[in-house]
């Protein structure tokens, strides 16, 4: 497997620029768009005059980085680690990342054998709090497993908490998942997830913008989230406080025209406060994989109708239901009183009452009628236990 996808000088130039320009740098992206990769690389290598939009101090910093950059070495390290570089316009490039405009990644380092472009076409992001509760971990895992069982790819950030639970839920269901890291994909972070990220690379994909060996920083985590949002059809947030980084992903998804969804939590939970704020805006409330797929999937992929327990009156025709509903919850009522409440005649009410008695829903007491215990108990979905 080649460590770089695509012929010619441009892929090598993009590898060079991933070592020089920070992820999400819109100024650098504009240079590439307006001047081309080769021209930007040449200006940096030849220590030319500053390109538009940067101060002399910042240009000096970029030149210092360029002096140390060695794309051939990075590609050799990547090849040894089973990592390849995928650039825009190449067969495995997910075209939806182009929606990021000048903040589009210069390229992506990919670990794992699957086709990134094909996987991203049917993917959903599941993100949330690092310090999640048991409820948050459970919801992330079961929702992600359900998505995997329906043939969807789950994308997350490989972090502790909700991210890790989402990845594990997919792996446990034998599904496919993508971890988007804020560091070099050859050096998994957090360290405690080294084993998990290794499993993801074997069963799915590990993706990042930074070249081999690069470490994460707070700003890189935030900028990484735009890739998760752009790569997927929608983002589900499971537990997030008001200042959670996962809300950055949801807001980026909203700006990009992707679906934003939230899993509700207890009203008293600070860890769900950010999700609830999203839901008060324009995010959609979801509780399971079927509801997510109904939103992001193809036409006709509808979630099952949600219903409460089946009640006796649900099994009757409208006239029978009306008479049954006219009986008081306690005590008895005379036929004429029932007829009045049911808006029918006394003779019709009596006929319906005898039908209801045959079904075991009412019983006669002297001149009056009352509900039986059966009429008060929801009908079971299955047979009575033996």
């Amino acid at each position: 497997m080649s460590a770089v996808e695509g012929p010619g000088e441009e892929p090598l130039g993009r590898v060079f620029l991933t070592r020089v320009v920070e992820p999400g740098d819109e100024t650098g992206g504009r240079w590439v768009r307006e001047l081309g990769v080769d021209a930007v690389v040449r200006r940096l290598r030849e220590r030319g005059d500053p390109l538009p939009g940067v101060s002399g101090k910042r240009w000096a910093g970029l030149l210092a980085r360029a002096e140390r950059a060695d794309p051939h070495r990075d590609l050799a390290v990547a090849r040894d680690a089973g990592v390849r570089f995928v650039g825009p316009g190449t067969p495995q490039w997910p075209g939806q990342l182009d929606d990021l405009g000048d903040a589009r990644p210069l390229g992506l380092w990919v670990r794992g054998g699957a086709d990134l472009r094909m996987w991203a076409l049917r993917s959903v992001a599941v993100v949330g709090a690092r310090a999640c509760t048991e409820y948050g971990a459970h919801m992330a895992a079961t929702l992600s497993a359900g998505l995997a069982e329906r043939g969807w790819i789950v994308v997350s950030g490989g972090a502790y908490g909700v991210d890790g639970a989402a990845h594990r839920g997919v792996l446990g269901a034998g599904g496919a998942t993508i971890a988007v890291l804020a560091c070099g994909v050859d050096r998994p972070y957090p360290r405690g997830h080294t084993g998990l990220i290794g499993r993801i690379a074997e069963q799915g994909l590990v993706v990042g913008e930074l070249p081999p060996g690069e470490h994460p920083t707070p700003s890189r985590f935030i900028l990484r989230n735009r890739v998760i949002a752009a790569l997927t059809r929608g983002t589900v947030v499971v537990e997030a406080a008001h200042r959670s980084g996962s809300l950055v992903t949801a807001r980026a998804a909203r700006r990009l025209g992707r679906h934003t969804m939230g899993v509700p939590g207890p009203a008293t939970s600070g860890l769900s406060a950010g999700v609830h704020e999203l839901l008060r805006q324009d995010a959609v409330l979801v509780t399971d994989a079927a509801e997510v797929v109904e939103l992001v999937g193809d036409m006709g992929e509808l979630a099952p109708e949600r219903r409460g327990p089946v009640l006796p009156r649900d099994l009757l025709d409208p006239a029978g239901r009306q008479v049954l509903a006219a009986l008081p919850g306690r005590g008895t009522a005379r036929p004429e009183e029932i007829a009045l409440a049911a808006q029918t005649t006394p003779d019709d009410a009596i006929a319906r009452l005898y039908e209801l008695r045959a079904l075991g829903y009412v019983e006669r007491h002297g001149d009056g009628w009352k509900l039986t215990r059966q009429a008060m108990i929801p009908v079971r979905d299955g047979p009575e236990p033996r």
Side-chain angles (χ1 to χ4, degrees), residues 170-191:
V170 174
L171 295 172
T177 186
I178 301 174
V180 182
L181 305 187
C183 56
V185 297
D186 62 326
R187 291 193 177 180
Y189 184 89
R191 296 288 182 103

Side-chain angles (χ1 to χ4, degrees), residues 156-226:
S156 199
Y160 292 130
V162 165
D163 288 15
H167 290 307
R168 289 189 183 94
V170 174
L171 295 172
T177 186
I178 301 174
V180 182
L181 305 187
C183 56
V185 297
D186 62 326
R187 291 193 177 180
Y189 184 89
R191 296 288 182 103
H193 274 180
T194 298
L196 174 62
I197 292 171
R199 284 182 62 202
I200 294 170
E202 292 172 4
Q203 195 168 317
L205 290 171
V206 180
V207 175
E209 296 178 77
L210 290 155
E214 280 295 302
H215 59 84
T217 63
S219 63
R220 287 173 172 177
F221 280 118
I222 295 298
L223 290 163
R224 176 274 310 273
N225 293 344
R226 83 195 194 287

Side-chain angles (χ1 to χ4, degrees), residues 29-300:
R30 187 173 70 252
W31 295 340
V32 168
R33 175 173 54 82
E34 293 178 350
L35 305 174
V37 170
D38 293 343
V40 176
V41 170
R42 188 164 52 251
R43 183 78 70 93
L44 288 162
R45 283 195 179 281
E46 294 174 358
R47 303 184 67 81
D49 293 334
L51 286 164
V54 294
S55 64
K57 182 178 179 180
R58 186 177 170 208
W59 182 250
L62 292 172
L63 293 178
R65 284 187 171 199
E67 193 173 337
R68 295 193 299 270
D70 184 345
H72 292 287
R73 181 185 61 205
D74 283 338
L75 288 173
V77 171
R79 190 180 300 109
D80 291 344
V83 175
R84 63 190 181 278
F85 183 79
V86 175
T90 56
Q92 286 200 33
W93 180 256
Q96 58 266 46
L97 291 178
D98 299 343
D99 293 347
L100 291 168
D102 289 338
R104 178 183 72 173
L106 292 159
L108 291 173
W109 299 88
V110 181
R111 182 180 164 199
D115 186 309
L116 176 61
R117 184 182 71 84
M118 294 302 296
W119 276 27
L121 289 174
R122 191 174 166 86
S123 65
V124 177
V126 178
V127 297
R130 284 180 172 81
C132 68
T133 65
E134 288 185 13
Y135 164 79
H138 170 77
M139 290 302 298
T142 55
L143 188 148
S144 298
L147 287 168
E149 289 164 358
R150 287 165 172 79
W152 284 79
I153 313 300
V154 173
V155 179
S156 199
Y160 292 130
V162 165
D163 288 15
H167 290 307
R168 289 189 183 94
V170 174
L171 295 172
T177 186
I178 301 174
V180 182
L181 305 187
C183 56
V185 297
D186 62 326
R187 291 193 177 180
Y189 184 89
R191 296 288 182 103
H193 274 180
T194 298
L196 174 62
I197 292 171
R199 284 182 62 202
I200 294 170
E202 292 172 4
Q203 195 168 317
L205 290 171
V206 180
V207 175
E209 296 178 77
L210 290 155
E214 280 295 302
H215 59 84
T217 63
S219 63
R220 287 173 172 177
F221 280 118
I222 295 298
L223 290 163
R224 176 274 310 273
N225 293 344
R226 83 195 194 287
V227 176
I228 295 176
L231 198 61
T232 54
R233 288 203 196 178
T235 293
V236 183
V237 184
V238 183
E239 283 197 328
H242 277 303
R243 299 187 62 181
S244 171
S246 57
L247 299 181
V248 174
T249 311
R251 293 180 189 121
R254 182 190 298 147
R255 287 195 302 272
L256 291 164
R258 311 294 196 261
H259 296 286
T260 56
M261 295 155 277
V263 176
T268 54
S269 171
L271 276 176
S272 289
V275 179
H276 296 161
E277 187 64 27
L278 284 177
L279 294 172
R280 291 184 65 229
Q281 297 167 9
D282 56 1
V284 176
L285 186 151
V286 293
T287 60
D288 61 18
E291 293 175 351
V292 174
V293 172
E294 182 178 73
L295 193 64
V296 303
D298 298 324
M299 186 177 294

Side-chain angles (χ1 to χ4, degrees), residues 323 326 334-350:
V323 170
R334 297 172 65 86
E336 55 270 25
E337 296 171 330
I338 296 170
L340 185 63
Q343 301 180 47
T344 187
T345 65
D347 288 344
D348 181 62
I350 291 171

